Amino acid sequence: MSSSKSFLDQLFESRILHASGVDGLYARSGTFEDVVSRFETFALTFGEHEITEAMVFPPGMPMADFETSGYMKNFPQLAGTVHAFCGGDHDHMGLLQCMAAGEDWTKGQEATQVALIPAACYPLYPILARRGALPENGAYVALQSYCFRHEPSKDPARMQMFRQREYVRVGTEDQAMAFRETWKERGQEMMKRLCLPHEVDIANDPFFGRGGRMMGASQREQALKFEMLVPINSVESPTACMSFNYHMDNFGKAWDIKLQDGSPAHTACVGFGLERITLALFRHHGLDVAAWPEDVRKALWG
Ligand code: AMP
Ligand code: ZN
């Protein structure tokens, strides 16, 4: 993995990604997107007989549901909300003058009813809750969404806008736990088939502030989160390309998702970072997809 040029610069130079001038915000080439969609098709073959339905979300979710999620309590540093101009003619004049003077024109923007989705499964829970008690077998949903996290970085694997493909299990504690264990195994099988070096390890989310450190420690202690680590930008600190999460009944309680007996549902999700997995493939198999190893091509091109 040694080269004098950074991996990000190599990606720009070979026009696999295109710079925008903002760290973590890149245009994807046709080649990059082709690998993303082939990986998605590959991933779906692992769970297609279990899912009860599929959904794709727009990049935004209702602000009210975002508030219910508790995201601002745990990760305020990563959140993004959509604001818009809501004034009249007079305000518009002021805004244009402000822009012309090179001043901060964004102060007059007002909050809309939309927040950017921070994790692909968040918009699912209120949809399930609105349907009433879950069916006996719970729900097993395949999702995809763009996500936003305010974490600008020169590491190409740390984007501000990226996609997650997820499977989400909503049901009893046993159903959620069994799901997560199955996907830990499947995730490793997927990485083997893609010939990527990998390791599953216990993990915690980046909770904010001093209190956050305790939350992270408690999450680790209870073994609620595992990650699939693959070296992308550095061998010493490999990158999480998948995560395997058990939320206990926290989301069931927050959004009032009920089992048939009225008790709160337990939830678990497995998230695949589509850009990260695609970048890992380019990193390990080279920038020319036609020259990727036969086993990898077989897995993705069939
Ligand atoms: P998480 O919800 O943090 O467990 O994230 C699920 C997956 O999304 C991770 O395993 C990554 O593959 C991907 N991911 C998280 N943050 C980023 C980011 N900033 N840029 C690209 N992919 C990300
Ligand atoms: Zn999730």
Side-chain angles (χ1 to χ4, degrees):
M1 295 175 75
S2 65
S3 164
S4 54
K5 219 167 262 163
S6 76
F7 184 41
L8 184 59
D9 283 338
Q10 291 175 43
L11 292 161
F12 290 158
E13 212 160 84
S14 51
R15 299 195 173 173
I16 289 171
L17 293 180
H18 303 277
S20 71
V22 173
D23 290 339
L25 194 64
Y26 311 116
R28 286 83 164 138
S29 63
T31 308
F32 189 93
E33 285 303 293
D34 185 44
V35 175
V36 167
S37 63
R38 285 178 190 282
F39 171 78
E40 289 197 278
T41 305
F42 169 73
L44 276 168
T45 62
F46 284 77
E48 63 191 338
H49 300 302
E50 286 144 21
I51 61 172
T52 52
E53 61 186 305
M55 290 183 204
V56 174
F57 300 119
M61 65 183 285
M63 187 73 87
D65 292 331
F66 174 77
E67 288 168 9
T68 304
S69 76
Y71 201 79
M72 290 310 285
K73 180 169 161 259
N74 295 326
F75 314 104
Q77 77 281 20
L78 297 176
T81 48
V82 178
H83 286 63
F85 173 74
C86 302
D89 283 333
H90 183 72
D91 307 295
H92 187 213
M93 287 287 285
L95 179 140
L96 294 180
Q97 279 166 6
C98 201
M99 282 182 104
E103 289 163 8
D104 182 4
W105 59 274
T106 61
K107 292 217 169 83
Q109 300 283 97
E110 286 177 31
T112 65
Q113 290 184 321
V114 180
L116 296 173
I117 294 178
C121 58
Y122 278 32
L124 170 69
Y125 303 117
I127 293 174
L128 292 181
R130 276 198 292 274
R131 292 178 181 171
L134 286 166
E136 184 114 41
N137 214 12
Y140 197 134
V141 186
L143 299 176
Q144 201 245 61
S145 181
Y146 254 99
C147 299
F148 173 85
R149 291 184 189 170
H150 186 227
E151 45 184 358
S153 168
K154 296 277 182 214
D155 175 353
R158 189 169 296 282
M159 297 186 177
Q160 296 201 60
M161 287 187 156
F162 57 93
R163 278 158 296 178
Q164 291 179 348
R165 175 153 280 286
E166 286 201 13
Y167 287 99
V168 185
R169 188 75 172 107
V170 185
T172 63
E173 177 175 356
D174 286 351
Q175 285 168 337
M177 283 301 277
F179 164 92
R180 198 193 51 179
E181 292 315 301
T182 300
W183 278 102
K184 261 161 67 182
E185 293 305 316
R186 283 181 184 167
Q188 293 176 77
E189 173 64 24
M190 288 164 78
M191 288 312 196
K192 262 185 230 152
R193 300 243 328 255
L194 297 174
C195 305
L196 291 172
H198 60 277
E199 187 191 357
V200 173
D201 202 0
I202 204 155
N204 63 272
D205 288 309
F207 294 98
F208 182 74
R210 231 177 303 144
R213 232 169 292 148
M214 275 164 56
M215 308 259 297
S218 150
Q219 191 183 25
R220 272 176 184 269
E221 231 164 74
Q222 296 177 79
L224 297 178
K225 186 180 189 80
F226 290 85
E227 286 178 336
M228 174 72 71
L229 302 171
V230 181
I232 300 181
N233 211 37
S234 119
V235 177
E236 297 75 36
S237 45
T239 302
C241 285
M242 302 178 178
S243 72
F244 311 92
N245 308 287
Y246 173 48
H247 318 115
M248 304 189 283
D249 58 0
N250 291 336
F251 288 158
K253 280 180 179 155
W255 273 292
D256 200 20
I257 312 171
K258 288 196 178 84
L259 300 176
Q260 298 227 324
D261 67 5
S263 61
H266 288 242
T267 63
C269 71
V270 49
F272 305 119
L274 294 179
E275 282 77 6
R276 284 191 179 173
I277 290 168
T278 301
L279 288 171
L281 288 162
F282 280 110
R283 184 54 151 168
H284 290 277
H285 303 320
L287 299 179
D288 176 10
V289 291
W292 283 3
E294 210 173 304
D295 284 350
V296 181
R297 288 196 58 90
K298 215 183 290 158
L300 295 178
W301 274 263

